[in-house]
Short mmCIF file of all heavy atoms in Angstrom, two decimals:
data_model
loop_
_atom_site.label_atom_id
_atom_site.label_comp_id
_atom_site.label_asym_id
_atom_site.label_seq_id
_atom_site.Cartn_x
_atom_site.Cartn_y
_atom_site.Cartn_z
N ARG A 1408 -7.80 15.09 -4.57
CA ARG A 1408 -7.39 13.77 -5.03
C ARG A 1408 -5.92 13.68 -5.05
O ARG A 1408 -5.34 12.59 -4.76
CB ARG A 1408 -7.96 13.57 -6.43
CG ARG A 1408 -9.48 13.28 -6.47
CD ARG A 1408 -9.96 13.21 -7.88
NE ARG A 1408 -11.40 12.88 -7.94
CZ ARG A 1408 -12.15 12.99 -9.08
NH1 ARG A 1408 -11.53 13.41 -10.20
NH2 ARG A 1408 -13.41 12.71 -8.98
N GLN A 1438 -6.32 24.26 4.03
CA GLN A 1438 -7.79 24.29 3.88
C GLN A 1438 -8.27 22.99 3.31
O GLN A 1438 -9.30 22.46 3.71
CB GLN A 1438 -8.19 25.49 2.87
CG GLN A 1438 -9.67 25.68 2.81
CD GLN A 1438 -10.34 25.97 4.14
OE1 GLN A 1438 -9.97 26.89 4.93
NE2 GLN A 1438 -11.36 25.15 4.55
N HIS A 1439 -7.63 22.47 2.25
CA HIS A 1439 -8.02 21.19 1.68
C HIS A 1439 -7.94 20.11 2.71
O HIS A 1439 -8.78 19.19 2.81
CB HIS A 1439 -7.14 20.90 0.46
CG HIS A 1439 -7.44 21.73 -0.73
ND1 HIS A 1439 -8.69 21.78 -1.32
CD2 HIS A 1439 -6.61 22.55 -1.46
CE1 HIS A 1439 -8.63 22.61 -2.38
NE2 HIS A 1439 -7.42 23.06 -2.48
N LEU A 1448 -11.34 11.48 5.90
CA LEU A 1448 -10.44 10.81 5.01
C LEU A 1448 -8.98 10.93 5.39
O LEU A 1448 -8.07 10.21 5.02
CB LEU A 1448 -10.57 11.29 3.60
CG LEU A 1448 -11.98 11.00 2.89
CD1 LEU A 1448 -12.12 11.69 1.56
CD2 LEU A 1448 -12.16 9.51 2.80
N PHE A 1451 -4.37 13.69 11.58
CA PHE A 1451 -2.98 14.19 11.84
C PHE A 1451 -2.55 13.79 13.20
O PHE A 1451 -3.30 13.55 14.14
CB PHE A 1451 -2.83 15.67 11.63
CG PHE A 1451 -3.48 16.54 12.71
CD1 PHE A 1451 -2.80 16.81 13.92
CD2 PHE A 1451 -4.77 17.04 12.49
CE1 PHE A 1451 -3.43 17.60 14.88
CE2 PHE A 1451 -5.32 17.81 13.51
CZ PHE A 1451 -4.68 18.11 14.66
N ALA A 1471 -10.25 6.04 3.97
CA ALA A 1471 -9.76 6.48 2.65
C ALA A 1471 -9.53 5.22 1.75
O ALA A 1471 -9.38 5.38 0.54
CB ALA A 1471 -8.51 7.32 2.75
N SER A 1489 -17.89 -18.61 2.34
CA SER A 1489 -18.65 -19.75 1.75
C SER A 1489 -17.74 -20.96 1.63
O SER A 1489 -18.12 -22.07 1.95
CB SER A 1489 -19.21 -19.37 0.36
OG SER A 1489 -20.12 -18.33 0.50
N ALA A 1493 -18.24 -24.54 3.47
CA ALA A 1493 -18.48 -25.79 2.65
C ALA A 1493 -17.36 -26.74 2.85
O ALA A 1493 -17.60 -27.92 2.90
CB ALA A 1493 -18.52 -25.36 1.17
N LEU A 1499 -10.08 -24.56 2.74
CA LEU A 1499 -9.65 -23.20 2.48
C LEU A 1499 -8.14 -23.09 2.27
O LEU A 1499 -7.61 -22.48 1.41
CB LEU A 1499 -10.09 -22.29 3.64
CG LEU A 1499 -9.83 -20.84 3.47
CD1 LEU A 1499 -10.48 -20.24 2.28
CD2 LEU A 1499 -10.30 -20.12 4.74
N ILE A 1545 13.05 0.09 -2.78
CA ILE A 1545 13.90 1.08 -2.13
C ILE A 1545 15.29 0.42 -1.89
O ILE A 1545 15.33 -0.59 -1.24
CB ILE A 1545 13.29 1.69 -0.88
CG1 ILE A 1545 11.99 2.34 -1.21
CG2 ILE A 1545 14.26 2.65 -0.20
CD1 ILE A 1545 11.21 2.82 0.05
N HIS A 1558 -0.59 -0.11 -0.91
CA HIS A 1558 -2.01 -0.35 -0.89
C HIS A 1558 -2.23 -1.89 -1.03
O HIS A 1558 -1.41 -2.55 -1.65
CB HIS A 1558 -2.77 0.31 -2.08
CG HIS A 1558 -4.25 0.05 -2.07
ND1 HIS A 1558 -5.09 0.48 -1.08
CD2 HIS A 1558 -5.02 -0.63 -2.96
CE1 HIS A 1558 -6.31 0.10 -1.36
NE2 HIS A 1558 -6.32 -0.48 -2.45
N LYS A 1566 -8.55 -9.76 6.20
CA LYS A 1566 -9.01 -9.64 7.59
C LYS A 1566 -9.82 -10.84 8.08
O LYS A 1566 -9.81 -11.11 9.25
CB LYS A 1566 -9.86 -8.39 7.71
CG LYS A 1566 -9.05 -7.09 7.63
CD LYS A 1566 -9.95 -5.84 7.77
CE LYS A 1566 -9.24 -4.56 7.60
NZ LYS A 1566 -10.13 -3.39 7.56
N TYR A 1604 8.64 -5.27 3.05
CA TYR A 1604 9.41 -6.49 3.20
C TYR A 1604 10.86 -6.19 3.06
O TYR A 1604 11.33 -5.44 2.16
CB TYR A 1604 9.06 -7.44 2.07
CG TYR A 1604 7.60 -7.86 2.07
CD1 TYR A 1604 6.63 -7.17 1.43
CD2 TYR A 1604 7.14 -9.06 2.76
CE1 TYR A 1604 5.31 -7.55 1.45
CE2 TYR A 1604 5.90 -9.48 2.75
CZ TYR A 1604 4.95 -8.67 2.04
OH TYR A 1604 3.56 -9.13 2.10
#
Side-chain angles (χ1 to χ4, degrees):
R1408 286 175 179 168
Q1438 186 59 56
H1439 288 302
L1448 296 174
F1451 69 84
S1489 297
L1499 185 58
I1545 298 174
H1558 181 62
K1566 289 178 182 178
Y1604 300 87

